[in-house]
Amino acid sequence: MGNRFSSKFSKHSSSASSKRGVKRKHEDDTESVLSSSENNEDDDRRSESRKSETSGNDPEIGLAPLSDIHTPKRKHLKSTSKYIYQTLFLNGENSDIKIYALGQEWKLHKIYLSQSPYFACMFNGSWRESLLSEIDLQIPDPAIDNAALKTAFGSLYRDYVFMKPVEVIGVLAAAFLLQLDGLKQQCLTLMSNTISGDTVCSYYEACCRYDVENLRTECYNWLLTNILNSTDLDLFKQISVDMMKTLIGDPKLFVMQVEMDIYTVLKRWIFLKENPSWCGEYKTMLSCIDDYFKKTEEVDCFLETTTGQTYLPAFSDIRWQHIAIDLDSLLILEQDRIINLEWIKPLYHGMWRKMLRLEQSKDKGPEDVPDESHFNKTSLRCGRLLKCEGEYCWRWVGYNYGVDILLTYVNNLIFIKRNTTTQPNPHSANLEKQKNLAYRLTIASVDKDGKMTQTKSTGIQKISLHKDEEMLALTVNNTFTFPLYLSMNILLTGQPCSQPEHIDICSVARSKVLLHSSSQTPAVLMCNAESQTEDLAEKAKKSLIQDVSLSSATAKLCQTTGTVVSTSDPGSSKKTLTIVHHSSGTDCPSSNGAGSVELLAPNTSSNQPSENSPVTSHTEPAENSPQSSSTTKKSKRVLKYPEDEEVI
């Protein structure tokens, strides 16, 4: 019987089965059919169905695509690597060397251990261990435990490793000890993929310990991006003082609101570091923080206490000039008593001069692109979190020298606008025709673990804006995903002046520049009639005597009706100055004409008041005075800002 098949093919476009495979007649000679169909199939077998035409009335059956016939099928057999790992490593069969480490015995094989340069050098060199069958391996790194050592040794017996993120640092330490480059790379890849609030601090410390620069940078950037927006309480407990200081001072820090939020985060950080067992809810933490700092002794602010001095360096890079522009922020500083407000007083003079220059049109802002170091140190830091796609418009509140800046995000575009009359303004607006400002705008996309996936920055830009003018600041690529972290630095004033624009309160507090008089600063005592408890009639009947003991001091009488009597003991460096107001003379000066005595003391002690310290109505004994230990008390100094008074 001849072949009944025809070489012609018919198209079955309407049949659903024709899309899944080809159909052919059932005949004995299948070889000729396969040969004929292979010559006519299309090059792209995955996108089109095979076409065939049948003859006769024989029934049709559906067959699998021809490509499936040539696809190799995999069947998992018992792995040789698994057999070697189980038999030789775990069971220790045919072991030719024993390793003793961390109180455990390991029956291993030199031929496998020699994959490690550490052991290869030991076995093949002229070392004593090359002839031994038992080796006591010293493990100097405390990060290496038995589990990590088992993973490191086991990696020599198979080509894959299973590790948990919680174990990876110990395995990495063992890989560095045994010089296993492949295992190192597997550890670093796993660490890079699992950076989160739970792991970032331990990963960063490990990278610093083993000098892994790339991963260290990844961890550091994660902290810069998330530290001010994180609600992970365990994260703050792990951050050291040095690390926090470095983060706060970094110009790339993502400040999610304004500078005051950095201060708030530091409060939270200190509380969690001092109370590591606290595990309440995040919402209830603020009241607990306030209660904690209220326990500070009244004579000191927290950073002047023994405990607070540990955390003082972390506050050194806060830009206090941008906290002092908001009244509510100043009131919070007063209530917290964490810092001494005397430390930031030198900033007020420079800020006042800036305000006058801008209000009187003598400063239109930066004339050129500002110097990067000056910009990074003095610019206003602020930011915003855009949680999902939409249209946003916002401003950062505070006294911005009459320049109300509005930011708008719409259709992947970010605009910056100088608002004067088109939108309500929470404070006075400068109506100068043109104002200059410098800014740097940075955006970043982050994944669910807070890891930055994409970022873009404008760099430092200088622009000029007319009243109510709006300009495009940044175009956001379509590849960016939400949430978006937006960070912006803004500079509204011109080049730096002679007055301080930034103050390091860490240096100020430690050197006591503002708390105590220096060797060139004269101490001043004020005699104010209003500050005394007695009335003027009683003061006229008796003498008012004040005794002050100083070292090598000279006195000068200024605007008083009293007499200065100087006495000193022979051979003593102390000089006692007695100021006497005679009852037979004129009345004690009134509050408007308060008398004062200026004591020029080049070698005054550290407990004497300075020019910048508030004047008190009583005289404090000097450090060397016998009464100093019992009578000296520090009074609480608080700056009061009336509600009806605008604070600059």
Side-chain angles (χ1 to χ4, degrees):
M1 182 183 293
N3 189 355
R4 297 181 181 179
F5 274 85
S6 174
S7 59
K8 297 182 180 180
F9 293 84
S10 62
K11 183 176 181 182
H12 303 276
S13 58
S14 62
S15 175
S17 62
S18 66
K19 298 180 181 179
R20 297 190 299 268
V22 296
K23 295 182 178 180
R24 63 176 181 170
K25 293 183 67 176
H26 183 63
E27 281 290 338
D28 295 332
D29 193 1
T30 58
E31 295 290 336
S32 61
V33 176
L34 292 174
S35 176
S36 176
S37 61
E38 285 177 357
N39 293 332
N40 292 277
E41 68 176 345
D42 191 80
D43 292 337
D44 189 0
R45 295 181 178 179
R46 292 172 299 178
S47 62
E48 295 184 359
S49 301
R50 301 218 21 244
K51 306 173 184 180
S52 64
E53 181 178 7
T54 61
S55 63
N57 298 322
D58 293 339
E60 296 180 346
I61 60 173
L63 298 179
L66 190 61
S67 58
D68 290 349
I69 300 177
H70 295 279
T71 301
K73 304 298 182 181
R74 297 180 182 179
K75 183 173 179 58
H76 182 71
L77 301 176
K78 189 173 182 179
S79 172
T80 303
S81 174
K82 184 177 181 180
Y83 173 80
I84 293 174
Y85 180 81
Q86 179 66 41
T87 305
L88 299 184
F89 177 66
L90 294 181
N91 298 340
E93 295 184 12
N94 300 323
S95 172
D96 58 355
I97 188 169
K98 293 181 180 179
I99 302 292
Y100 294 94
L102 300 177
Q104 186 172 347
E105 178 186 85
W106 306 86
K107 295 180 180 180
L108 304 175
H109 307 77
K110 287 186 178 181
I111 191 170
Y112 286 97
L113 291 179
S114 295
Q115 298 175 81
S116 163
Y118 178 86
F119 286 110
C121 180
M122 179 186 296
F123 297 150
N124 300 325
S126 58
W127 302 97
R128 180 175 62 89
E129 289 82 359
S130 61
L131 303 176
L132 299 178
S133 60
E134 297 182 357
I135 296 177
D136 188 6
L137 184 63
Q138 300 297 322
I139 308 295
D141 195 333
I144 303 176
D145 56 11
N146 284 320
L149 205 56
K150 178 181 178 180
T151 303
F153 285 148
S155 68
L156 301 173
Y157 288 81
R158 59 182 178 180
D159 53 359
Y160 58 90
V161 176
F162 291 106
M163 286 180 292
K164 299 177 182 178
V166 72
E167 303 170 341
V168 69
I169 294 179
V171 178
L172 179 66
F176 271 93
L177 176 65
L178 303 180
Q179 303 174 19
L180 302 176
D181 292 337
L183 186 58
K184 287 181 195 175
Q185 190 57 46
Q186 291 188 54
C187 291
L188 295 177
T189 301
L190 175 61
M191 294 168 71
S192 177
N193 294 334
T194 56
I195 296 176
S196 65
D198 296 327
T199 61
V200 63
C201 289
S202 57
Y203 285 0
Y204 182 86
E205 293 175 358
C207 292
C208 293
R209 188 184 310 126
Y210 305 117
D211 195 21
V212 184
E213 183 62 27
N214 292 338
L215 185 58
R216 187 199 71 83
T217 303
E218 283 189 52
C219 295
Y220 182 74
N221 289 336
W222 189 99
L223 289 169
L224 285 177
T225 307
N226 296 277
I227 188 62
L228 293 183
N229 197 44
S230 176
T231 58
D232 188 346
L233 304 185
D234 290 333
L235 170 63
F236 289 97
K237 297 176 183 179
Q238 300 175 49
I239 298 178
S240 65
V241 176
D242 292 337
M243 169 58 70
M244 185 62 79
K245 170 179 169 55
T246 304
L247 292 172
I248 298 303
D250 197 298
K252 297 180 181 179
L253 177 69
F254 274 72
V255 179
M256 284 296 98
Q257 289 297 333
V258 290
E259 194 78 19
M260 185 63 183
D261 291 272
I262 300 178
Y263 169 83
T264 304
V265 167
L266 290 181
K267 285 171 53 179
R268 184 195 317 162
W269 168 64
I270 293 174
F271 172 76
L272 293 173
K273 293 285 284 186
E274 291 299 313
N275 301 273
S277 60
W278 191 88
C279 56
E281 295 183 0
Y282 183 80
K283 296 180 180 179
T284 63
M285 185 170 53
L286 293 179
S287 60
C288 296
I289 292 176
D290 292 338
D291 293 339
Y292 173 77
F293 287 109
K294 286 179 181 178
K295 296 178 182 178
T296 305
E297 298 178 3
E298 293 186 359
V299 294
D300 294 314
C301 67
F302 175 77
L303 294 180
E304 289 179 319
T305 63
T306 304
T307 302
Q309 289 178 5
T310 304
Y311 301 99
L312 188 57
F315 289 80
S316 59
D317 289 304
I318 292 182
R319 302 176 187 181
W320 301 100
Q321 67 271 29
H322 298 308
I323 294 180
I325 62 176
D326 181 61
L327 177 59
D328 292 337
S329 299
L330 281 174
L331 295 176
I332 291 175
L333 292 183
E334 292 177 4
Q335 295 171 3
D336 291 343
R337 294 196 302 105
I338 293 178
I339 73 163
N340 191 330
L341 294 182
E342 296 292 327
W343 298 344
I344 63 175
K345 268 189 175 181
L347 292 172
Y348 295 158
H349 186 263
M351 295 171 65
W352 175 251
R353 287 174 62 91
K354 284 183 180 181
M355 190 200 73
L356 292 178
R357 288 178 58 84
L358 289 167
E359 289 293 330
Q360 297 177 11
S361 302
K362 295 183 179 180
D363 187 350
K364 295 185 178 181
E367 296 294 337
D368 301 306
V369 177
D371 177 71
E372 184 174 5
S373 61
H374 169 68
F375 181 85
N376 288 337
K377 197 171 185 179
T378 61
S379 60
L380 171 66
R381 296 187 287 187
C382 45
R384 181 73 185 266
L385 171 62
L386 308 182
K387 294 184 178 181
C388 58
E389 182 67 56
E391 296 183 1
Y392 298 88
C393 183
W394 70 93
R395 65 160 59 88
W396 291 287
V397 297
Y399 184 81
N400 291 330
Y401 301 102
V403 183
D404 185 33
I405 299 175
L406 297 181
L407 270 292
T408 305
Y409 173 85
V410 57
N411 296 331
N412 290 346
L413 300 175
I414 300 178
F415 296 93
I416 183 171
K417 177 181 180 180
R418 177 194 169 196
N419 177 49
T420 53
T421 58
T422 57
Q423 298 293 333
N425 200 318
H427 43 68
S428 61
N430 189 298
L431 299 179
E432 185 73 19
K433 181 179 180 180
Q434 179 176 312
K435 296 293 293 184
N436 301 331
L437 62 91
Y439 73 92
R440 179 176 59 214
L441 181 61
T442 305
I443 60 169
S445 290
V446 297
D447 59 18
K448 60 182 179 60
D449 292 323
K451 187 176 180 181
M452 186 185 300
T453 58
Q454 199 169 2
T455 184
K456 184 177 181 180
S457 177
T458 63
I460 302 176
Q461 302 288 331
K462 177 257 177 181
I463 59 175
S464 299
L465 295 174
H466 293 79
K467 290 183 290 186
D468 294 316
E469 183 179 3
E470 188 176 61
M471 295 183 64
L472 177 64
L474 182 67
T475 301
V476 183
N477 301 336
N478 292 328
T479 55
F480 279 80
T481 58
F482 286 84
L484 279 180
Y485 286 6
L486 185 146
S487 176
M488 192 167 187
N489 292 56
I490 307 173
L491 186 64
L492 300 173
T493 58
Q495 291 301 315
C497 59
S498 59
Q499 303 299 324
E501 296 185 84
H502 174 77
I503 190 166
D504 181 357
I505 67 169
C506 180
S507 300
V508 172
R510 287 181 173 176
S511 62
K512 301 184 184 299
V513 173
L514 298 179
L515 295 177
H516 309 288
S517 59
S518 63
S519 58
Q520 291 81 17
T521 304
V524 178
L525 296 179
M526 300 294 294
C527 299
N528 194 327
E530 186 179 6
S531 65
Q532 305 300 324
T533 58
E534 300 173 328
D535 56 19
L536 295 178
E538 291 294 327
K539 291 178 183 179
K541 296 179 181 179
K542 60 182 180 180
S543 299
L544 176 63
I545 301 177
Q546 298 174 335
D547 293 331
V548 181
S549 297
L550 300 173
S551 300
S552 304
T554 58
K556 179 180 180 182
L557 185 62
C558 302
Q559 299 178 358
T560 63
T561 58
T563 304
V564 177
V565 180
S566 175
T567 60
S568 61
D569 297 333
S572 174
S573 61
K574 295 183 179 180
K575 181 176 292 185
T576 301
L577 307 177
T578 303
I579 308 168
V580 181
H581 292 277
H582 301 286
S583 59
S584 58
T586 59
D587 292 338
C588 186
S590 64
S591 59
N592 294 329
S596 63
V597 176
E598 185 176 8
L599 304 178
L600 306 178
N603 295 319
T604 56
S605 63
S606 61
N607 284 338
Q608 296 166 6
S610 66
E611 286 182 330
N612 295 322
S613 301
V615 177
T616 58
S617 60
H618 62 278
T619 303
E620 296 183 1
E623 184 179 3
N624 296 325
S625 173
Q627 299 178 353
S628 61
S629 61
S630 60
T631 61
T632 302
K633 277 190 176 181
K634 295 182 180 179
S635 60
K636 180 180 176 182
R637 302 182 178 117
V638 180
L639 296 179
K640 297 297 182 182
Y641 297 91
E643 294 182 356
D644 57 347
E645 180 178 319
E646 184 172 352
V647 179
I648 306 304

